Amino acid sequence: MTTGVALPAPSELELSRRAWRRSRSRRSTLVALLSTLLFAVVAYLVVTSAPGWPRVRTTFFSPSVAWRSLPTILSGLWLNLQVLLVGGVLVLVLGLLVAMVRTLRGPAFAPLRIVATAYVDLFRGIPLIIVLYLVGFGFPALGLQGVPTSPFILGTAAIVLTYSAYVAEVFRAGIESVHPSQRAAARSLGLTHRQSMRIVVLPQALRTVTPALLNDFVALQKDVGLISVLGAIDAVRSAQILVGQSFNFTPYVVAGLLFVLLAVPSARLADAVSARARRRQQSGNLL
Amino acid sequence: MNAPVLDVRGVVKAFGDNVVLRGVDLAVGEHEVVALIGGSGSGKSTLLRCASLLETVDDGQVLLDGEDITDTRIDADRVRRRMGVVFQAYNLFPHLSVLDNVTLAPTVVHGRTTTEARAEAHELLARIGLAEKAAEFPDRLSGGQQQRVAIVRALAVHPRVLLLDEITSALDPELVGEVLAVVREVASQGMTIVMATHEMGFARQVADTVAFLDGGVVLESGPPQQVLGDPVEPRTRQFLARVIDAGRL
């Protein structure tokens, strides 16, 4: 608490403690810096002295191929971004819905709960790539009127199905982390189950799970590249086509780097959010 | 006495094999303050939780203004609107400001306008000396302040009866007084109150009736002078002797 009253000047003892902490932190920084540098140099020397390095450099790290492939891959990445945004929103909605069904109490909701549990078990267990094949090739094969055949839509649907199962569990953990006494307080005020959920439980649950959700978002960012297996011309597929034309693998590296660039801001955001949550919950700074 | 506001008739409640209430009878008249006393695990909290429909009873009835609220066909949410509950651990909503904690039920449940609800909340907060804390979040308040806000939150819905569940048990001794002062004021304004408490001195001063719970029943009840001063039942005497030994009377 700030009181506006200036603290007395620190004692000799406190000054020596501060000096010691400063010197310790300087030393740690130096050690970390040096060891990182050393590792980088060793890694560089090992890789570049390898017998196949000149060959690898031209086929994987060719600047000219990279530059030429960039526009095509970027336009493919735009498709990934669209899948990411549409899918991200749908995953949040579906995940929350499934989580809320799973936390419903009372025997009347048992069938709904069972369906939700089965859904989560199924789609958390099955590899995403298999879901992609089943949805992407199975649905159109039905030949039903009105079933979309675009790999964009089908790919997004498959990703949403898989990720919603994960995200539902994250939400559920959050909902169950809110102490039952909060629900008791809300209900005793006369709020209905839904009102308590919306106004009291969910806002607190969301705060708890935001870091975990952002982590899943980072995972989703790279997994949108998997829609390429359905033939959608996304960043990965564009790179694959370019590789096929030139027999040079640099486009894969370019696509990979672009995905990394995409993920870095979300990863930093996730870190910042978790750090903030931690600061809010712990007042001490020792551990 | 007029018809009781809250009438508990033969209430039974068990958790698994543990039978906590074995047929509790308790009638609470309008403007009456009833103190529930009894050892830990005697069922004081359970009785209050049954009365506020946070637990379902295993037998017996609870009547609020003559209406059987343990009837399975009753809308529990509508019943709870007519009661105020204050918990041992305050249970304020940590993500809402003090003001929003107080105005939540009046606006969302009782359909009052935000302006109206806020005006009343400010007035209530001023009465308990926390007017300047309206915009703060509960974490920033001391335990005593939080519990006072919790009382105001329960009062803001104009309940027919206020149920207080050991509301000073989680507080430092020096903070107990400020919370009890609020209860005393609320009682003096004619609120019907049922409180589970360990504060025998306070029960003696404020309660009209003291009910001693033991073995899952109300073993003895009557005016505080009688129950606390000259109890009939040996079990009540034993309990009070232990409390006196612990320095709580």
Side-chain angles (χ1 to χ4, degrees):
Chain A
M1 193 101 126
T2 51
T3 50
V5 180
L7 285 168
S11 64
E12 281 299 317
L13 177 67
E14 172 61 19
L15 286 174
S16 70
R17 275 199 298 243
R18 288 182 194 176
W20 187 80
R21 282 191 205 117
R22 263 198 306 277
S23 76
R24 282 304 287 241
S25 90
R26 259 200 306 271
R27 214 182 66 171
S28 318
T29 316
L30 205 67
V31 168
L33 211 66
L34 281 178
S35 59
T36 311
L37 210 66
L38 187 71
F39 175 78
V41 169
V42 169
Y44 177 80
L45 289 178
V46 167
V47 170
T48 53
S49 67
W53 169 245
R55 189 70 168 276
V56 167
R57 192 174 53 189
T58 49
T59 46
F60 282 87
F61 300 101
S62 153
S64 61
V65 175
W67 182 247
R68 266 182 283 126
S69 64
L70 191 61
T72 321
I73 296 176
L74 268 179
S75 70
L77 192 69
W78 172 233
L79 184 71
N80 292 118
L81 264 175
Q82 286 171 301
V83 175
L84 177 65
L85 292 180
V86 175
V89 172
L90 290 177
V91 164
L92 283 180
V93 175
L94 187 61
L96 186 57
L97 208 71
V98 171
M100 281 169 64
V101 169
R102 285 202 76 182
T103 50
L104 283 177
R105 300 210 169 94
F109 299 110
L112 275 176
R113 271 202 307 268
I114 291 169
V115 169
T117 308
Y119 163 77
V120 170
D121 284 352
L122 181 64
F123 283 95
R124 271 202 314 177
I126 187 168
L128 173 55
I129 197 144
I130 293 178
V131 181
L132 275 161
Y133 283 136
L134 293 180
V135 173
F137 300 133
F139 267 101
L142 287 174
L144 281 173
Q145 278 272 293
V147 170
T149 53
S150 127
F152 167 74
I153 295 176
L154 291 168
T156 308
I159 287 172
V160 167
L161 278 174
T162 297
Y163 267 81
S164 298
Y166 284 103
V167 167
E169 287 303 277
V170 172
F171 276 128
R172 188 165 75 106
I175 289 170
E176 281 173 1
S177 77
V178 176
H179 198 271
S181 66
Q182 286 287 310
R183 221 171 302 218
R187 297 307 294 275
S188 75
L189 286 168
L191 271 70
T192 62
H193 172 81
R194 282 172 61 174
Q195 285 169 333
S196 322
M197 202 68 181
R198 180 168 57 85
I199 304 171
V200 175
V201 177
L202 281 183
Q204 295 184 58
L206 279 182
R207 268 171 217 211
T208 318
V209 300
T210 306
L213 283 180
L214 279 165
N215 186 43
D216 279 343
F217 184 73
V218 174
L220 176 64
Q221 265 176 345
K222 59 187 169 51
D223 278 357
V224 293
L226 286 173
I227 61 163
S228 58
V229 301
L230 299 183
I233 312 291
D234 73 328
V236 178
R237 189 73 175 178
S238 315
Q240 198 176 19
I241 293 168
L242 291 168
V243 169
Q245 287 166 351
S246 62
F247 299 108
N248 188 305
F249 289 96
T250 307
Y252 279 144
V253 175
V254 172
L257 284 175
L258 287 175
F259 275 106
V260 172
L261 281 181
L262 202 63
V264 166
S266 328
R268 287 293 80 74
L269 181 66
D271 285 353
V273 169
S274 337
R276 205 177 65 137
R278 215 169 32 242
R279 270 201 307 278
R280 210 186 290 166
Q281 278 156 17
Q282 308 176 339
S283 41
N285 60 355
L286 277 179
L287 293 172
Chain B
M1 195 172 26
N2 297 327
V5 174
L6 189 72
D7 195 357
V8 177
R9 295 181 182 173
V11 162
V12 175
K13 179 69 190 177
F15 297 99
D17 292 338
N18 180 19
V19 184
V20 182
L21 305 177
R22 296 178 182 272
V24 170
D25 295 297
L26 185 75
V28 184
E30 183 104 55
H31 310 307
E32 194 183 0
V33 177
V34 175
L36 297 173
I37 63 168
S40 211
S42 61
K44 305 183 294 289
S45 293
T46 304
L47 179 57
L48 291 180
R49 288 179 68 87
C50 287
S52 54
L53 301 185
L54 292 173
E55 302 283 355
T56 52
V57 298
D58 293 328
D59 208 343
Q61 285 180 307
V62 180
L63 278 67
L64 181 65
D65 285 323
E67 180 189 18
D68 179 6
I69 60 172
T70 47
D71 189 323
T72 45
R73 287 160 301 181
I74 209 137
D75 180 354
D77 293 326
R78 294 191 66 86
V79 172
R80 292 196 197 96
R81 291 179 193 182
R82 286 146 56 196
M83 303 188 184
V85 183
V86 183
F87 301 88
Q88 182 176 335
Y90 338 131
N91 298 11
L92 293 177
F93 305 130
H95 62 299
L96 299 178
S97 70
V98 164
L99 187 65
D100 290 342
N101 262 281
V102 178
T103 57
L104 177 63
T107 52
V108 172
V109 179
H110 296 267
R112 304 181 58 194
T113 66
T114 312
T115 337
E116 208 178 56
R118 286 197 167 172
E120 189 183 354
H122 277 299
E123 198 179 298
L124 285 166
L125 287 171
R127 266 190 11 217
I128 58 163
L130 292 177
E132 79 284 9
K133 301 284 187 191
E136 293 275 16
F137 282 84
D139 301 359
R140 297 268 169 166
L141 271 53
S142 74
Q145 292 172 332
Q146 290 191 47
Q147 195 59 294
R148 278 143 71 198
V149 172
I151 295 172
V152 160
R153 179 175 71 175
L155 287 176
V157 298
H158 303 287
R160 284 290 289 148
V161 55
L162 192 60
L163 307 174
L164 309 179
D165 188 1
E166 301 193 26
I167 60 170
T168 56
S169 300
L171 294 174
D172 287 342
E174 53 176 344
L175 300 177
V176 170
E178 63 186 55
V179 171
L180 294 184
V182 173
V183 177
R184 185 176 284 125
E185 200 214 320
V186 173
S188 72
Q189 287 168 356
M191 177 61 70
T192 307
I193 298 176
V194 184
M195 54 180 185
T197 187
H198 286 294
E199 303 289 336
M200 300 305 155
F202 182 71
R204 188 196 288 271
Q205 291 165 26
V206 177
D208 302 304
T209 303
V210 172
F212 174 60
L213 248 74
D214 188 74
V217 294
V218 175
L219 197 60
E220 179 165 8
S221 83
Q225 298 81 354
Q226 187 256 304
V227 177
L228 297 174
D230 185 23
V232 178
E233 297 288 337
R235 294 279 305 144
T236 319
R237 286 177 185 278
Q238 267 176 24
F239 171 72
L240 289 172
R242 280 206 309 274
V243 172
I244 290 166
D245 282 348
R248 297 293 284 259
L249 184 66

